[in-house]
Amino acid sequence: MARTADFIVIGGGIAGISVAYELLPHGSVAVLEQESATGYHSTGRSAAVMSENYGPRLWSRLVTATRGFLENPPEGFTDLPLVTDRGALFLAQAHETGQLQAQYDDLIARGARVELMPAADALRYCEVLRADKYATAMYEPDCKDVDTNELMMGYQRRIRAAGGAVVTDARVTAIHRDANGWRVDTTAGEFHGGTLVNAAGGWVQQVAEMAGLGYRNVVPFRRTAVTFDAPSGSNLHHWPMTFDVAETFYFKPEAGKVMVSPVDMAASAPCDAQADEMEVALAIDRIETFTTMKVARLSHRWGGLRTFAPDHEPVIGADPPDAGFIWLAGQGGNGVMASAASARLAASLAVGRGIPADIAALGITEDAISPGRSCVLANEDVQVGSAEAIYGAD
Ligand SMILES: Cc1cc2nc3c(=O)[nH]c(=O)nc-3n(C[C@H](O)[C@H](O)[C@H](O)COP(=O)(O)OP(=O)(O)OC[C@H]3O[C@@H](n4cnc5c(N)ncnc54)[C@H](O)[C@@H]3O)c2cc1C
């Protein structure tokens, strides 16, 4: 028998689960996830940090607007902290110092705590850096590790307690529109709903095509990550998330190991992404070039998809030809850290309430995030350059 909900959300990653939670006050919700568990794709493969200096301009503002939720979740949402202190270091070579200064000025204007210093001083945060390779460093003490699993669990407990459904093994295979709303065929049966939310991560463009909307330029790129043993006797647990401004690598402590990514961004079909062997080799080379660590043996390697519009900014709101088709997409590397505000924003636009005042105050407009903006409609290449480079140039 067909099941009915006011809001049908396609995708059981952080985007779909968080927007379903934000829609609960406005009607019934059903989240459809093709895998046997939620969070299997990008959400379960992230570095799980929150930094207000990460990502393009509008995404980084949505991080600012998410911080309050993650630091002080609603009463009863979880018994565990959703975030723990990590700190972040950003390392600039001499010719990148102006870019780092611009990021510093912007963060100060947003009320963030940051400190600029000569690169040598960064050794007090992470003793394995080859500080002589850099000129300047910036430390962001309020960068946090996010407990993504607990965040997902908190949302799902609330959805189920409110009578909402999170249906796994429910791959959407066809979407039909009629005067009453949407009919969605899945491998777990048929669902009917008035509003469809496209939160399918790397698959959002395919979902739009199934719904008859045509091509939308929001497409996935693969990123590789590995973990390895830290040198014995190191102060690993206190190390910050460490980025270089040129965006050639980052590393952080991860469950007693060191996680490193060569920050690759390779166009990919939507898929169960795997680590790229060439990128694994690059990750090791960068760690051994820019730190004093040697990588003897890898513990784990994985790949994940990050999905972008050509300008790297959010794709949130109604698709212009169809106000009943809502996007929450294009999160790139900010999907976990900006989840609460982007979900609240998508839900508000889905019910015709516009941009919440606190988010509008950060300079986010409907036009700038619209799925109908020209770069999303155009079949132009997504910029493969780093999100930070785009942010820095803004
Ligand atoms: C290596 C790496 C490091 C990262 N580090 C960070 C970080 O430190 N901080 C941060 O904030 N972000 C980080 N990110 C980015 C973050 O992981 C993503 O932005 C976020 O997880 C995207 O969430 P999502 O829900 O849109 O996508 P997903 O988690 O991929 O969820 C989409 C879901 O839709 C489902 N789906 C697709 N098609 C269908 C269909 N037809 N029917 C039913 N279900 C369907 C998929 O199975 C999937 O589960 C990182 C990403 C990577 C790869």
Side-chain angles (χ1 to χ4, degrees):
M1 203 181 78
R3 281 169 276 182
T4 302
D6 296 316
F7 301 98
I8 307 247
V9 178
I10 302 178
I14 187 63
I17 294 294
S18 56
V19 73
Y21 164 86
E22 293 291 346
L23 287 166
L24 290 174
H26 307 290
S28 53
V29 299
V31 180
L32 307 177
E33 168 53 48
Q34 65 184 353
E35 305 293 351
S36 57
T38 55
Y40 175 79
H41 286 287
S42 305
T43 298
R45 305 173 190 212
S46 96
V49 297
M50 173 183 70
S51 160
E52 287 180 66
N53 191 40
Y54 190 79
R57 197 173 68 87
L58 301 182
W59 275 119
S60 69
R61 278 152 178 75
L62 288 172
V63 178
T64 298
T66 294
R67 174 180 289 283
F69 184 99
L70 294 177
E71 290 182 342
N72 295 297
E75 186 71 29
F77 187 87
T78 172
D79 293 334
L80 301 171
L82 293 177
V83 288
T84 45
D85 290 343
R86 171 55 54 210
L89 262 182
F90 300 85
L91 302 168
Q93 296 180 15
H95 67 281
E96 297 156 343
T97 294
Q99 189 180 336
L100 193 62
Q101 179 72 51
Q103 293 179 9
Y104 171 86
D105 293 343
D106 180 73
L107 285 159
I108 292 290
R110 276 193 273 154
R113 287 198 299 155
V114 273
E115 181 193 353
L116 271 181
M117 65 194 82
D121 290 3
L123 286 168
R124 70 176 190 261
Y125 296 108
C126 184
E127 71 277 10
V128 295
L129 291 176
R130 287 195 195 277
D132 58 330
K133 304 264 183 201
Y134 299 98
T136 317
M138 179 172 74
Y139 184 63
E140 179 195 13
D142 295 325
C143 170
K144 308 277 183 180
D145 277 340
V146 182
D147 185 338
T148 310
N149 185 53
E150 189 53 28
L151 178 62
M152 289 284 284
M153 290 301 126
Y155 279 132
Q156 288 173 89
R157 282 191 292 267
R158 284 292 174 96
I159 293 167
R160 292 194 164 112
V166 178
V167 188
T168 52
D169 292 313
R171 183 164 57 83
V172 173
T173 53
I175 301 173
H176 310 271
R177 182 71 156 127
D178 64 28
N180 299 321
W182 299 96
R183 192 189 93 211
V184 179
D185 298 340
T186 81
T187 47
E190 197 176 299
F191 290 79
H192 290 208
T195 300
L196 199 63
V197 181
N198 184 6
W203 287 260
V204 282
Q205 195 246 309
Q206 277 76 355
V207 167
E209 290 205 352
M210 272 195 264
L213 292 171
Y215 184 79
R216 297 290 184 272
N217 199 350
V218 189
V219 291
F221 292 80
R222 185 214 60 230
R223 177 155 284 185
T224 300
V226 301
T227 56
F228 65 92
D229 286 329
S232 58
S234 60
N235 199 15
L236 172 73
H237 298 293
H238 299 286
W239 290 352
M241 176 77 161
T242 299
F243 302 90
D244 63 340
V245 167
E247 251 219 303
T248 64
F249 75 114
Y250 64 67
F251 70 96
K252 65 167 288 204
E254 178 70 41
K257 311 275 181 192
V258 183
M259 172 196 172
V260 55
S261 172
V263 296
D264 46 326
M265 183 163 168
S268 170
C271 64
D272 192 351
Q274 304 296 317
D276 180 87
E277 285 312 309
M278 181 67 83
E279 298 296 338
V280 169
L282 269 177
I284 296 169
D285 178 67
R286 286 184 181 143
I287 277 291
E288 295 189 344
T289 302
F290 293 105
T291 76
T292 56
M293 291 187 280
K294 292 282 169 228
V295 181
R297 191 183 65 84
L298 295 178
S299 315
H300 185 40
R301 66 188 77 194
W302 70 97
L305 298 177
R306 305 180 326 136
T307 300
F308 291 94
D311 59 4
H312 290 217
E313 291 293 11
V315 180
I316 302 180
D319 201 275
D322 197 326
F325 188 98
I326 306 298
W327 289 77
L328 176 48
Q331 292 91 338
N334 290 84
V336 176
M337 63 179 102
S339 52
S342 52
R344 191 157 53 85
L345 173 54
S348 184
L349 293 173
V351 299
R353 294 196 178 171
I355 300 200
D358 63 314
I359 296 177
L362 293 167
I364 292 173
T365 64
E366 286 192 45
D367 285 350
I369 61 173
S370 170
R373 65 188 188 267
S374 57
C375 72
V376 174
L377 297 178
N379 195 359
E380 67 189 52
D381 285 343
V382 174
Q383 293 186 47
V384 178
S386 74
E388 274 66 38
I390 290 169
Y391 170 70
D394 194 73

